[in-house]
Amino acid sequence: MILGVPFSKEISVRFLEEGFKEQGISFPDSEKIFDILGGNPGWLTYFGYIYIKHGRDEEKAILETKRYAKRLLSREFCNFTKEGGRDKRRYLKVIETCRKGCSWKDIKNSLEALEGREINDGTMSDIINNLLEHSFLVKEDRKYMITDKLLGEIINVRC
């Protein structure tokens, strides 16, 4: 599993700065990188590796990190839906709905709009609980959020 609770902005910035400091590099754009990649420590580490490997080309490192992360996230999401016999369309719709945070009712409304019919509360709870248990979503202050910023960019994933 490549997902989990991401670092906060403060921890992410410090993580990047300390990592670059260990390599003797002053890196002033840590907040920018957090804003683009989010707080997944794997993506932050990979960004640092690619940044150094490719001669400190920040844009190239961002693009390569996003490409790599989205490929892994897509694979993880496809495995999640296939192994559980889950309806990929429904789960992608929930991920899309929760990119900026959403309520239980927001999720229900988006799925009912997708399918053009009412969805019972038990089915809704199963979908949300599956996403929570597999760390695709986290619940904060009565809102559901995707755990990885880049997860919101794989909406058109093909499995």
Side-chain angles (χ1 to χ4, degrees), residues 35-101:
D35 291 340
I36 294 169
L37 301 177
N40 183 314
W43 309 154
L44 299 175
T45 301
Y46 191 77
F47 168 81
Y49 167 74
I50 296 298
Y51 179 80
I52 292 168
K53 180 180 176 187
H54 290 291
R56 301 183 187 184
D57 184 332
E58 188 174 300
E59 291 308 311
K60 187 172 189 174
I62 290 168
L63 290 174
E64 176 59 31
T65 302
K66 287 180 83 170
R67 186 175 17 255
Y68 174 75
K70 288 194 267 187
R71 190 171 54 243
L72 287 177
L73 288 166
S74 294
R75 189 175 315 138
E76 187 82 16
F77 188 81
C78 288
N79 288 339
F80 163 75
T81 56
K82 285 180 183 176
E83 290 171 7
R86 297 176 178 100
D87 183 342
K88 182 181 85 168
R89 290 175 322 122
R90 283 180 166 178
Y91 286 89
L92 281 173
K93 188 64 173 176
V94 175
I95 296 299
E96 179 182 23
T97 302
C98 294
R99 281 193 288 201
K100 300 214 185 288

Side-chain angles (χ1 to χ4, degrees), residues 76-78 80-82 84-99 107 110-111 114-115 119 122-134 136-137 146 151-152 154-155 157 159:
E76 187 82 16
F77 188 81
C78 288
F80 163 75
T81 56
K82 285 180 183 176
R86 297 176 178 100
D87 183 342
K88 182 181 85 168
R89 290 175 322 122
R90 283 180 166 178
Y91 286 89
L92 281 173
K93 188 64 173 176
V94 175
I95 296 299
E96 179 182 23
T97 302
C98 294
R99 281 193 288 201
I107 296 170
S110 72
L111 288 178
L114 173 71
E115 296 186 9
I119 297 175
T123 300
M124 283 298 306
S125 292
D126 288 345
I127 291 168
I128 291 170
N129 287 334
N130 284 334
L131 289 166
L132 289 168
E133 288 173 17
H134 288 84
F136 289 105
L137 289 182
I146 56 175
L151 182 62
I154 67 159
I155 300 307
V157 65
C159 299

